[in-house]
C-alpha cells in the first residue's frame, strides 16, 4: 500500500516542488513575511489584549498613542499587494533566469498601469472625482491580481529579452548603462500589453482588472479556502508528504498560502478597526491550532517519548527534541525516530493534526473561542502564549494545552509498540556485545 502511495505522491510532490510559477509565488510571499511579522508586532503592542492597556500607556504618551504604532502596521498590511507583486516578480525572474531587479520593476509598473487612479466622492457641487489610488486596490483585494500580473509581465519581459529584442551598446559602456538600455524594448512591450489590457477591462462591466480578478477568482477561492474541508485537505496532505520525507507545508503552501495570507490580513484589518473579525480559518488557525511542535503535532509524541518509553534510543531522542519541539522544530523526530516511512506512526501522525483541526474548528464555530486577530506571530512562538496573543483569550491557551494532552493519548499506544521493538533490539545488541567481550584473542601461552 505504501509503495503505491509513494508512486503517486512522489511525482506529484516533485512536480509541485519544481514548478517555477508555484515556487515563485511561495518565495514571493516569504520576501514580505518579515515585514508582516514586524508590522503585526507593532499592531499587537497597540492593541494588547489586556484590560486597561491603552489607558495605562495614555498617561505617559497621551491619548491616541496607538496611532503611531498603527502607522507602521498600515505600511505593510494596507500595501500588501504591492509587496506581493514585487516579491513574486523578483522570485519568478530568478526562477526563469531573467534579470531579477528588472522583473520586480516591470511587475510593479504593470500592476499600477491596471490600477484605477480616480476616486469619486460626494462634494459640494455633487459627485466629484479625485486623482488618487484607493487603498483597497493595493491591499488584500489585489493579492491575486498581483500574482497574475507578476507572472505575466515577467514572462513577456523575459521572452522579448531572450529573443534578442534589445538595444546593444558598444563595448566600454558601463554595465549598468548597458543593462538599462538592453531592458528598454522588453519593458516597453510589457507596458504596452498592460496598457491594452487596461483599456479592454474598462470596456467591460467589471471596469478594472482588479474588480474582475477579485470577483471571478479571488472571492471564490477564499470562500473555498475559508472552510473546514479545505483545512482538512491541507493538514492531511501536509502530513502525508512528511511521511514520505517531503516537507509537507513547502508543497501545500504553494497552493494554500495566498488564500490563508489574505484571510489573515482581512482579520487583522478588522481587528485594527475594531470591527467584528470575519474569518475562522486564517493562517493563525493553521499555525497555532492544527499542529504543535511541527508537522504531525509531534510535541505530544515527544512528551510521551520522554515520560513513558523505556528504549534508550527513544527516551534520549525525546530529551533532545523537547526544546526544539516547544518552538515548532521537529526534524529530529521526523528523521531520527523516524516518522518517515514508518508504518507504525503513520496513523497518529495524520490523525492527531486531523483531530486538532476538527476540535479547534468546533471551538471557533460555536463561539467558545474568539476568532484569531490575524497578528502574524513568529512560527516559533510556544503554545499558550500563541493562543492568547492570537485571540486575546486565555481559553485559547487552555484549548491548545488540552489538544496536546489529547495528542499524547492518541500517540501513546503507537509509540509504545515502537518502544517495545526498539527495546528488544537494544537488549539483543547488548547480549551481542557481551559475547564479543568474551574473546580468545587476548589469551597467551604465558597465562597458562
Amino acid at each position: 500500500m505504501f509503495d503505491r502511495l509513494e508512486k503517486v505522491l512522489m511525482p506529484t510532490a516533485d512536480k509541485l516542488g519544481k514548478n517555477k510559477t508555484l515556487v515563485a509565488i511561495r518565495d514571493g510571499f516569504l520576501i514580505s513575511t518579515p515585514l508582516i511579522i514586524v508590522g503585526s508586532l507593532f499592531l499587537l503592542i497597540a492593541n494588547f489584549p489586556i484590560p486597561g492597556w491603552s489607558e495605562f500607556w495614555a498617561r505617559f504618551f497621551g491619548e491616541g498613542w496607538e496611532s503611531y504604532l498603527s502607522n507602521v502596521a498600515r505600511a505593510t498590511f494596507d500595501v500588501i499587494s504591492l509587496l506581493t507583486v514585487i516579491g513574486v516578480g523578483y522570485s519568478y525572474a530568478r526562477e526563469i533566469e531573467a534579470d531579477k531587479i528588472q522583473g520586480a520593476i516591470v511587475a510593479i509598473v504593470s500592476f499600477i498601469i491596471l490600477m484605477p487612479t480616480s476616486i469619486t466622492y460626494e462634494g459640494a457641487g455633487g459627485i466629484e472625482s479625485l486623482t488618487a489610488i484607493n487603498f483597497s486596490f493595493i491591499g488584500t483585494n489585489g493579492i491575486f491580481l498581483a500574482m497574475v500580473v507578476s507572472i505575466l509581465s515577467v514572462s513577456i519581459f523575459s521572452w522579448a529579452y531572450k529573443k534578442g529584442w534589445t538595444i546593444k551598446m558598444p563595448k566600454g559602456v558601463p554595465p549598468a548603462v548597458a543593462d538599462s538600455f538592453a531592458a528598454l524594448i522588453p519593458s516597453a512591450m510589457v507596458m504596452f500589453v498592460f496598457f491594452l489590457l487596461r483599456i479592454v477591462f474598462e470596456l467591460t462591466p467589471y471596469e478594472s482588472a482588479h474588480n474582475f480578478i477579485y470577483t471571478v477568482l479571488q472571492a471564490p477561492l477564499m470562500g473555498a479556502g475559508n472552510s473546514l474541508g479545505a483545512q482538512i485537505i491541507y493538514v492531511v496532505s501536509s502530513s502525508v508528504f512528511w511521511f514520505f520525507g517531503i516537507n509537507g507545508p513547502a508543497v501545500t503552501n504553494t497552493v494554500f498560502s495566498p488564500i490563508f495570507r489574505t484571510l489573515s490580513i482581512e482579520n487583522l484589518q478588522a481587528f485594527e478597526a475594531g470591527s467584528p473579525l470575519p474569518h475562522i480559518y486564517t493562517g493563525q488557525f493553521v499555525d497555532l491550532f492544527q499542529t504543535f511542535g511541527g508537522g504531525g503535532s509531534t510535541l505530544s509524541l515527544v512528551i510521551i517519548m520522554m515520560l513513558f518509553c523505556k528504549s534508550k534510543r527513544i527516551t534520549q531522542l525525546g530529551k533532545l527534541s523537547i526544546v526544539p519541539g516547544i518552538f515548532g522544530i521537529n526534524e529530529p523526530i521526523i528523521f531520527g525516530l523516524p516518522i518517515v516511512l514508518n508504518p507504525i506512526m503513520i496513523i497518529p501522525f495524520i490523525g492527531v493534526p486531523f483531530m486538532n483541526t476538527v476540535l479547534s474548528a468546533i471551538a471557533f464555530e460555536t463561539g467558545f473561542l474568539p476568532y484569531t486577530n490575524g497578528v502574524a506571530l513568529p512560527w516559533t512562538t510556544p503554545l499558550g502564549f500563541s493562543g492568547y496573543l492570537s485571540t486575546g483569550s486565555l481559553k485559547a491557551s487552555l484549548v491548545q494545552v488540552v489538544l496536546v494532552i489529547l495528542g499524547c493519548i492518541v500517540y501513546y499506544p503507537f509509540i509504545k509498540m515502537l518502544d517495545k521493538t526498539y527495546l528488544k533490539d537494544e537488549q539483543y545488541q547488548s547480549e551481542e556485545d557481551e559475547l564479543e567481550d568474551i574473546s580468545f584473542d587476548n589469551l597467551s601461552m604465558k597465562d597458562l
Side-chain angles (χ1 to χ4, degrees):
M1 181 180 69
F2 295 118
D3 291 339
R4 292 179 182 177
L5 279 174
E6 186 174 4
K7 289 179 180 179
V8 173
L9 291 175
M10 290 296 285
T12 302
D14 188 59
K15 288 180 181 178
L16 288 174
K18 294 181 179 179
N19 184 281
K20 294 180 179 180
T21 301
L22 294 178
V23 169
I25 292 173
R26 181 196 66 198
D27 292 352
F29 277 113
L30 291 176
I31 289 174
S32 63
T33 295
L35 302 176
I36 296 297
I37 291 176
V38 174
S40 294
L41 294 178
F42 273 86
L43 187 59
L44 181 62
I45 294 171
N47 300 273
F48 204 77
I50 294 179
W53 174 264
S54 180
E55 292 77 8
F56 174 79
W57 290 107
R59 299 175 186 176
F60 304 96
F61 303 110
E63 295 294 331
W65 64 272
E66 304 93 336
S67 63
Y68 297 105
L69 300 176
S70 298
N71 287 334
V72 178
R74 280 194 289 269
T76 54
F77 309 134
D78 289 1
V79 296
I80 186 62
S81 292
L82 294 181
L83 299 179
T84 300
V85 77
I86 293 171
V88 176
Y90 181 94
S91 300
Y92 190 62
R94 179 200 64 207
E95 290 298 312
I96 62 175
E97 299 180 352
D99 188 299
K100 297 184 286 292
I101 298 299
Q102 289 293 340
I105 291 173
V106 297
I108 194 170
V109 168
S110 301
F111 184 71
I112 294 175
I113 289 174
L114 293 178
M115 191 182 303
T117 53
S118 63
I119 300 175
T120 56
Y121 65 98
E122 184 70 33
I127 301 297
E128 298 184 17
S129 179
L130 174 69
T131 300
I133 294 176
N134 193 324
F135 268 98
S136 64
F137 294 125
I138 58 176
T140 55
N141 289 352
I143 282 182
F144 279 74
L145 179 63
M147 294 188 294
V148 173
V149 168
S150 299
I151 301 301
L152 180 58
S153 60
V154 174
S155 296
I156 296 172
F157 177 88
S158 176
W159 175 78
Y161 196 96
K162 291 176 180 178
K163 283 284 187 180
W165 298 345
T166 60
I167 297 176
K168 295 179 174 60
M169 302 297 289
K171 293 182 179 181
V173 174
V177 176
D179 291 343
S180 65
F181 274 91
L184 196 153
I185 294 177
S187 298
M189 292 181 63
V190 173
M191 295 170 69
F192 183 71
V193 168
F194 281 90
F195 163 72
L196 295 179
L197 286 175
R198 175 177 179 134
I199 294 175
V200 170
F201 278 110
E202 287 183 348
L203 298 176
T204 67
Y206 297 101
E207 297 182 347
S208 70
H210 289 73
N211 290 334
F212 174 79
I213 292 294
Y214 182 80
T215 304
V216 175
L217 180 62
Q218 181 168 334
L221 282 175
M222 287 174 58
N226 189 26
S227 65
L228 178 57
Q231 295 295 322
I232 290 173
I233 292 172
Y234 172 82
V235 74
V236 170
S237 57
S238 294
S239 298
V240 171
F241 281 124
W242 265 127
F243 177 75
F244 288 99
I246 304 164
N247 189 320
V251 176
T252 52
N253 281 343
T254 56
V255 177
F256 286 95
S257 182
I259 299 172
F260 295 156
R261 174 71 68 90
T262 303
L263 295 171
S264 297
I265 293 177
E266 289 190 357
N267 269 26
L268 189 63
Q269 291 173 333
F271 174 66
E272 182 184 12
S275 304
L277 303 179
H279 308 301
I280 292 178
Y281 303 106
T282 62
Q284 287 66 49
F285 180 93
V286 172
D287 294 337
L288 309 179
F289 292 93
Q290 282 188 342
T291 57
F292 305 100
S297 198
T298 52
L299 182 58
S300 300
L301 174 60
V302 173
I303 293 172
I304 296 297
M305 290 168 62
M306 289 179 55
L307 299 180
F308 299 102
C309 291
K310 297 179 181 179
S311 163
K312 291 182 180 179
R313 171 180 173 181
I314 291 180
T315 54
Q316 288 299 325
L317 181 61
K319 292 175 183 178
L320 292 171
S321 302
I322 185 64
V323 173
I326 290 172
F327 296 96
I329 301 168
N330 71 340
E331 276 76 6
I333 295 296
I334 296 289
F335 300 103
L337 185 62
I339 296 293
V340 174
L341 297 178
N342 188 334
I344 295 177
M345 302 306 299
I346 181 63
I347 294 176
F349 190 75
I350 294 175
V352 172
F354 175 84
M355 175 189 69
N356 293 344
T357 301
V358 173
L359 293 179
S360 297
I362 293 172
F364 284 104
E365 291 279 6
T366 58
F368 179 75
L369 293 182
Y371 292 4
T372 55
N373 52 31
V375 171
L377 298 173
W379 61 272
T380 52
T381 306
L383 81 158
F385 295 103
S386 60
Y388 175 70
L389 293 175
S390 64
T391 63
S393 172
L394 288 173
K395 291 190 294 185
S397 301
L398 178 61
V399 167
Q400 288 182 316
V401 173
V402 170
L403 290 175
V404 170
I405 294 172
L406 291 175
C408 290
I409 295 172
V410 175
Y411 267 115
Y412 180 83
F414 297 92
I415 190 60
K416 287 299 289 182
M417 284 191 287
L418 195 63
D419 183 46
K420 290 179 182 178
T421 301
Y422 287 174
L423 191 59
K424 288 180 181 178
D425 292 342
E426 290 171 5
Q427 291 172 345
Y428 176 78
Q429 185 62 45
S430 178
E431 293 173 358
E432 287 287 314
D433 291 342
E434 290 178 3
L435 290 174
E436 289 178 2
D437 289 340
I438 304 174
S439 174
F440 293 99
D441 294 338
N442 297 326
L443 290 179
S444 172
M445 293 298 294
K446 296 179 181 179
D447 298 327
L448 298 177

